[in-house]
């Protein structure tokens, strides 16, 4: 009974942002797992440099994230092309931040790439959700 009330509270209009963020984190976890799997396979399996391996790993994660966020979190309905462009601009900004953090931690601080990956998992979702909420998938409130 208490669980139902909690779920209803989360779904309530005033708590929509919390509900969306929870779903965003679920999608981020899934796309992050894909990112990680590809990153580790490229580094450990193909002996690719961690910074270079971040490119295809990040792009695969972004593709999965976009598709799922459109359908499940933000319910993209209008001007899909504009939303795609905004999503990928945001992703490119996140990608640049991804490379900077990976490069700095691995090459300047001489620390393991998995530490960089952990930092990215905490920083990028918060930034990405905020940008997507207020820009990419922004919908004018109904009067």
């Amino acid at each position: 009974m208490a669980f139902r009330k909690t779920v209803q509270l989360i779904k309530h209009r005033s708590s929509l942002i919390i509900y969306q963020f929870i779903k965003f984190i679920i999608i981020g976890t899934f796309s992050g797992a894909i990112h990680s799997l590809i990153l580790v396979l490229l580094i450990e399996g193909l002996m690719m440099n961690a910074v270079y391996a971040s490119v295809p790993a990040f792009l695969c994660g972004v593709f999965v994230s976009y598709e799922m966020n459109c359908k499940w979190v933000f319910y993209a309905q209008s001007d899909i092309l504009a939303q795609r462009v905004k999503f990928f601009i945001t992703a490119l900004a996140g990608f640049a931040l991804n490379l900077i953090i990976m490069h700095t931690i691995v090459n300047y601080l001489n620390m393991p790439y998995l530490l960089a990956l952990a930092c990215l998992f905490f920083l990028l979702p918060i930034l990405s959700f905020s940008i997507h909420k207020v820009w990419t998938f922004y919908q004018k409130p109904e009067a």
Side-chain angles (χ1 to χ4, degrees):
M1 184 104 175
F3 179 74
R4 282 189 193 156
K5 286 183 181 181
T6 302
V7 170
Q8 288 173 347
L9 179 64
I10 290 173
K11 289 182 179 180
H12 188 267
R13 188 174 181 105
S14 65
S15 299
L16 179 60
I17 195 166
I18 295 168
Y19 183 62
Q20 280 183 308
F21 188 71
I22 290 168
K23 293 193 309 185
F24 186 83
I25 293 301
I26 292 168
I27 290 170
T29 301
F30 181 71
S31 63
I34 290 171
H35 174 146
S36 299
L37 177 65
I38 292 169
L39 183 72
V40 171
L41 288 173
L42 291 173
I43 292 170
E44 302 297 334
L46 298 178
M47 303 302 174
M48 188 181 273
N49 176 284
V51 175
Y52 297 139
S54 290
V55 175
F58 185 81
L59 291 175
C60 289
V62 165
F63 175 77
V64 169
S65 179
Y66 172 75
E67 291 299 322
M68 294 177 76
N69 275 299
C70 278
K71 293 175 176 73
W72 195 47
V73 177
F74 298 106
Y75 306 108
Q77 295 172 355
S78 61
D79 204 357
I80 302 296
L81 180 60
Q83 289 174 344
R84 283 184 180 164
V85 170
K86 290 176 181 180
F87 190 93
F88 287 109
I89 288 170
T90 303
L92 287 175
F95 177 65
L97 186 59
N98 178 3
L99 288 179
I100 291 166
I101 291 172
M102 183 65 74
H103 180 71
T104 301
I105 290 176
V106 171
N107 294 327
Y108 288 114
L109 301 177
N110 294 317
M111 300 181 92
Y113 70 91
L114 291 175
L115 177 63
L117 188 61
C119 291
L120 291 166
F121 277 170
F122 288 103
L123 179 62
L124 288 180
I126 294 168
L127 289 173
S128 295
F129 178 80
S130 299
I131 293 167
H132 292 316
K133 182 73 178 160
V134 301
W135 185 54
T136 308
F137 297 106
Y138 177 76
Q139 295 177 3
K140 293 180 184 176
E142 295 178 18

